[in-house]
Amino acid sequence: MRTAGRIRTVGAVFTLVASALTTPMLGAPAAQARTLDSTVLNSTVLNSTVLNSTVLNSAVLNSAVLNSTVLNSTVAGSTGTGTPGGSGSLTRAQRAELMSIARDTWKFFEQDLDPQTHLPLDNLGPGAVRGSYTSAANIGVYLWSVVSAADLGIIKRPQERRLISQTLTAVGKMKRSSGFLYQWYDTSTGAAIRNPGDVACSTETTPTQDNCYFLSAVDNGWYAAGLIVARQAVPELRAQVDALLAPMDFSIFYDARAQDPNCNVNAAVDNQPTGQMYGGYYVDQGPAGYHNGAIYSDPRIAMYLGMGLRQMPGDVWWRTWRTLPPQQCSTDPDFSWQGQWPVGGSWRTVKDPVSGGTFRVWEGHYTYPGTDLSFLPTWGGGMFEALMANEVVPETAWGPSSFGLANRLTVQVQQRYATQLGYPVWGLSPSSTADDTGGYATYGVEGQAFPAGQGLSQCSTCAAETTVTPHASFLALPIDPQGAMANIDTLRALYPQVYSRDGGFFDAVAPGTGAVGHRRLVLDQSMIMAGIDNALNHNALSGYFAKDQVSWAARAVLGAERMTIGGSGH
C-alpha cells in the first residue's frame, strides 16, 4: 500500500491501475510525498482503493480603485446570491471592514517576500517560523495578490509593476521544463529542492520519480493563471509574462490514448480513464501514473488553460467525472463505495463547443439528507476544491446552470452542515491545524454526522470536520456577500485570537475548543485578497482572465453544460 507521507497539495486525483482505483495526492507522486513542516496526513483504504489524502482554487474594467471609490461602489449582481446565510450587496460599513482586512492582510505579504529573490515564502508562523520554500502555485497566487492590492488602492500601480516584474525576473532564472515549474524551490536561492528542507535537485543526476523531476498539473495551472492575470492587469509587463507563458505545453498532462466512448474507462488500455488529465509529468520519463478524475476540484484550472491554449482538446472536460459514475460496461470500476449511493443524476449527450465532438456525460449529484437540495460534491468536501477556480475564472457568470450553480450550492451545504455540527461558524477547507505545531491537514464537509451512504463528499474518510479556516468565507464572499460577512464577523467576535492587525486572519480555528493555529499560508492569504478584490471591485480579478484570449474555452464549456442540481433546501 502506498503511503501519503508528509504532504500539502492542491486538489483531488484518481488513477486506475488494473482493476483498482488508486487515489494519490495531487501535485506529487504518492511514493515521493510532498513535505510541509512535520505534518503527516494518513492514507486511507477504501475497499480496493488506496487513497492518499488530497490536501491541499463578462470582462470588467481593470482600472485602479481608490479607497473612496471602493467604499462607494456597489457589488455587481452577476455573481448570484440566495444562500441560507443571506444575500444582497454589501453595506458601506461592510465594505470599509473588508478594506481594513485587506490592508492588514497585505502586511503579511510585505513580510512574506524574500528580499533577495523576490519569491513568496510558503508560510509564516507560528511566531518567528518562516517557511522558506515555495511552489508554482504559491508564485501564481502571489501574483494575483499583488494585482488585488493595487486594485484595492493599498499599493500604487508603479509598486504593483515593480513587485510583479521582480518576481517574474526571478522565475525566469529558475529551473523549468516545458515552461513549467518543478515542485519545490528554496526561496533564499531560487534553486529547485526535492522537498522543503531537503536536498537540492542539482544533486540528483539520474531521472527518478520524485519531486526533483515532477511537474504538477494543478500547481502549474495556478502559476499560469497568475501570469494571465498579471498580463492583463499590468500590460506594460506583457512581454515579460509572454516569455514565461510561451514555452508552456499543457498537452504533456493530457492522456491522449484511445478512448472507449461507451465505457467509463478503456479496457484495452489497462482500464485507464483515457481522455482525462494526468496529475503531473516526470521530466525525461513521462506522465504520472494517476489522473485528475474529479472535475469539481481545483485541478480544473489547468483544464481551462490547457483548452484555452489549444493544447488540450475539449475531451478532457467531458471525460472527467462530475460524480463517480455508475458502470456502463462490466470492465468499469464499481464506485458504489462513494459517499452517496446510489447517486442521483442522468446520462446526457453533450456537444463539445471546443472540439465539436459529442460525449456521454454522467451528470450526477448528491442530495443533502432530509431536503430536496441536490448539489455537486467535491472529492474531500473542502471549500477551496470547489470555489478557488471561481476567483480567477468567472464561473458564476458563465456557468449559471453548471459550475456557477454548483458553487452557490456548495456555500449552502457548508453553511447548513456547520449548523448540523453545532458550530457557530462555517468554512471547512484544507488548512493549517488549529494549534501551534505548524501542521497542515485536510478538512472538509464529508457528512460524517449522517449514516453511511448519505455522505456529502465523494470520499468519506479523507478529511476531518474539526477545523474552520477563514479563507473559506472569502471564497464565498462574491457568491453570498451577507452570509460571508456574517461568518467573518462571528469568527472575529467569538475567536479574537484568529486575527491580528499585522497580517490579518490566522489560518485555522477549532470551533469546538476555540483553539487557533497562529500560522498564515501564502496560498490561503491569497484567497482572502482575491475574494475581497472580486467582492469590492465588480469581480475585477476574474475580469482580467475574462479579457484574456485564453478564456474562450472556459466560457464555452461552462455555458454548454446543464447540471442536475438545485432545490429549495427544504
Side-chain angles (χ1 to χ4, degrees):
M1 184 176 103
R2 298 183 183 182
T3 57
R6 299 188 298 172
I7 64 173
R8 179 171 68 78
T9 184
V10 186
V13 296
F14 301 91
T15 183
L16 288 154
V17 182
S19 60
L21 175 72
T22 308
T23 318
M25 65 275 189
L26 170 68
Q32 300 293 336
R34 292 179 68 179
T35 303
L36 185 73
D37 298 334
S38 59
T39 309
V40 179
L41 301 175
N42 294 322
S43 60
T44 308
V45 178
L46 270 169
N47 298 336
S48 60
T49 304
V50 180
L51 167 78
N52 285 320
S53 300
T54 57
V55 188
L56 157 88
N57 184 149
S58 57
V60 208
L61 295 177
N62 63 353
S63 57
V65 183
L66 298 177
N67 293 344
S68 59
T69 305
V70 169
L71 294 178
N72 289 299
S73 59
T74 58
V75 177
S78 62
T79 57
T81 55
T83 58
S87 62
S89 298
L90 296 166
T91 67
R92 184 182 180 91
Q94 288 171 331
R95 299 175 72 79
E97 179 184 352
L98 288 173
M99 273 302 308
S100 177
I101 292 171
R103 291 191 193 97
D104 291 344
T105 304
W106 181 247
K107 294 173 186 175
F108 160 82
F109 289 94
E110 292 177 327
Q111 304 167 56
D112 188 62
L113 202 66
D114 186 281
Q116 301 302 318
T117 64
H118 307 287
L119 295 173
L121 279 65
D122 185 88
N123 62 81
L124 298 178
V129 174
R130 294 171 64 83
S132 300
Y133 46 91
T134 198
S135 68
N138 287 346
I139 291 168
V141 300
Y142 167 73
L143 294 175
W144 87 38
S145 297
V146 176
V147 170
S148 292
D151 286 347
L152 293 163
I154 298 170
I155 62 174
K156 302 297 185 183
R157 292 294 177 182
Q159 184 180 1
E160 171 194 36
R161 185 165 57 250
R162 175 177 57 81
L163 289 172
I164 292 175
S165 181
Q166 287 174 333
T167 298
L168 297 182
T169 298
V171 172
K173 299 175 183 177
M174 289 160 55
K175 182 181 178 182
R176 289 167 290 150
S177 180
S178 298
F180 298 121
L181 292 168
Y182 286 81
Q183 199 61 34
W184 294 111
Y185 295 85
D186 184 332
T187 51
S188 65
T189 64
I193 54 177
R194 185 168 58 192
N195 283 305
D198 202 351
V199 298
C201 288
S202 59
T203 64
E204 290 195 3
T205 57
T206 301
T208 186
Q209 292 199 357
D210 68 8
N211 284 336
C212 283
Y213 288 87
F214 188 72
L215 309 175
S216 164
V218 60
D219 286 357
N220 277 289
W222 290 118
Y223 164 52
L227 291 175
I228 296 297
V229 168
R231 176 163 74 181
Q232 290 299 325
V234 192
E236 304 95 318
L237 298 180
R238 186 180 185 98
Q240 192 175 13
V241 171
D242 286 351
L244 294 173
L245 283 170
M248 289 188 181
D249 181 9
F250 279 88
S251 70
I252 67 172
F253 300 123
Y254 176 64
D255 188 344
R257 295 174 296 178
Q259 301 169 28
D260 185 340
N262 300 311
C263 300
N264 298 329
V265 299
N266 190 345
V269 188
D270 297 325
N271 284 336
Q272 292 293 301
T274 51
Q276 293 185 0
M277 185 174 72
Y278 291 111
Y281 187 88
Y282 289 103
V283 176
D284 297 328
Q285 298 164 82
Y290 58 96
H291 295 78
N292 291 123
I295 197 168
Y296 198 40
S297 190
D298 48 300
R300 69 186 184 275
I301 190 66
M303 299 179 197
Y304 286 136
L305 291 164
M307 292 185 295
L309 291 167
R310 303 182 192 276
Q311 295 170 356
M312 289 184 187
D315 305 43
V316 72
W317 191 255
W318 307 109
R319 292 291 292 178
T320 305
W321 300 316
R322 277 74 187 145
T323 61
L324 300 177
Q327 290 176 304
Q328 299 188 82
C329 303
S330 61
T331 53
D332 285 339
D334 177 4
F335 292 132
S336 61
W337 49 260
Q338 65 183 288
Q340 284 193 18
W341 190 264
V343 178
S346 61
W347 288 101
R348 296 186 175 179
T349 300
V350 179
K351 183 173 182 180
D352 174 32
V354 175
S355 67
T358 57
F359 294 86
R360 184 169 160 82
V361 178
W362 174 248
E363 291 289 0
H365 62 255
Y366 283 11
T367 301
Y368 197 97
T371 76
D372 68 349
L373 178 64
S374 59
F375 64 96
L376 187 64
T378 64
W379 175 248
M383 186 74 101
F384 83 63
E385 287 182 76
L387 299 186
M388 189 173 169
N390 191 54
E391 296 299 332
V392 179
V393 181
E395 293 179 329
T396 308
W398 291 354
S401 298
S402 60
F403 286 87
L405 178 57
N407 293 342
R408 292 198 295 271
L409 295 170
T410 290
V411 176
Q412 292 188 38
V413 170
Q414 287 264 349
Q415 293 169 334
R416 185 179 293 272
Y417 191 64
T419 302
Q420 188 86 26
L421 295 176
Y423 291 167
V425 289
W426 50 267
L428 299 177
S429 191
S431 70
S432 297
T433 51
D435 52 39
D436 286 342
T437 64
Y440 189 94
T442 313
Y443 302 105
V445 171
E446 289 197 345
Q448 295 171 11
F450 295 120
Q454 298 183 35
L456 301 177
S457 64
Q458 295 183 72
C459 178
S460 58
T461 55
C462 293
E465 297 181 341
T466 58
T467 301
V468 164
T469 179
H471 76 245
S473 297
F474 292 88
L475 291 175
L477 190 59
I479 296 170
D480 178 16
Q482 291 303 319
M485 286 303 305
N487 204 48
I488 290 166
D489 290 343
T490 303
L491 279 166
R492 295 182 71 175
L494 295 183
Y495 315 105
Q497 286 193 36
V498 81
Y499 192 91
S500 69
R501 297 298 304 273
D502 62 353
F505 278 99
F506 288 106
D507 206 43
V509 59
T513 65
V516 170
H518 296 93
R519 189 169 183 245
R520 298 182 176 104
L521 310 182
V522 68
L523 178 72
D524 297 357
Q525 298 301 95
S526 295
M527 291 186 232
I528 292 175
M529 291 297 292
I532 295 175
D533 190 12
N534 278 329
L536 296 186
N537 292 325
H538 299 238
N539 299 308
L541 197 69
S542 60
Y544 294 123
F545 178 87
K547 289 178 17 177
D548 198 90
Q549 61 198 33
V550 305
S551 68
W552 71 275
R555 185 193 294 265
V557 296
L558 286 168
E561 189 162 4
R562 301 291 181 270
M563 291 182 172
T564 61
I565 53 179
S568 65
H570 300 297

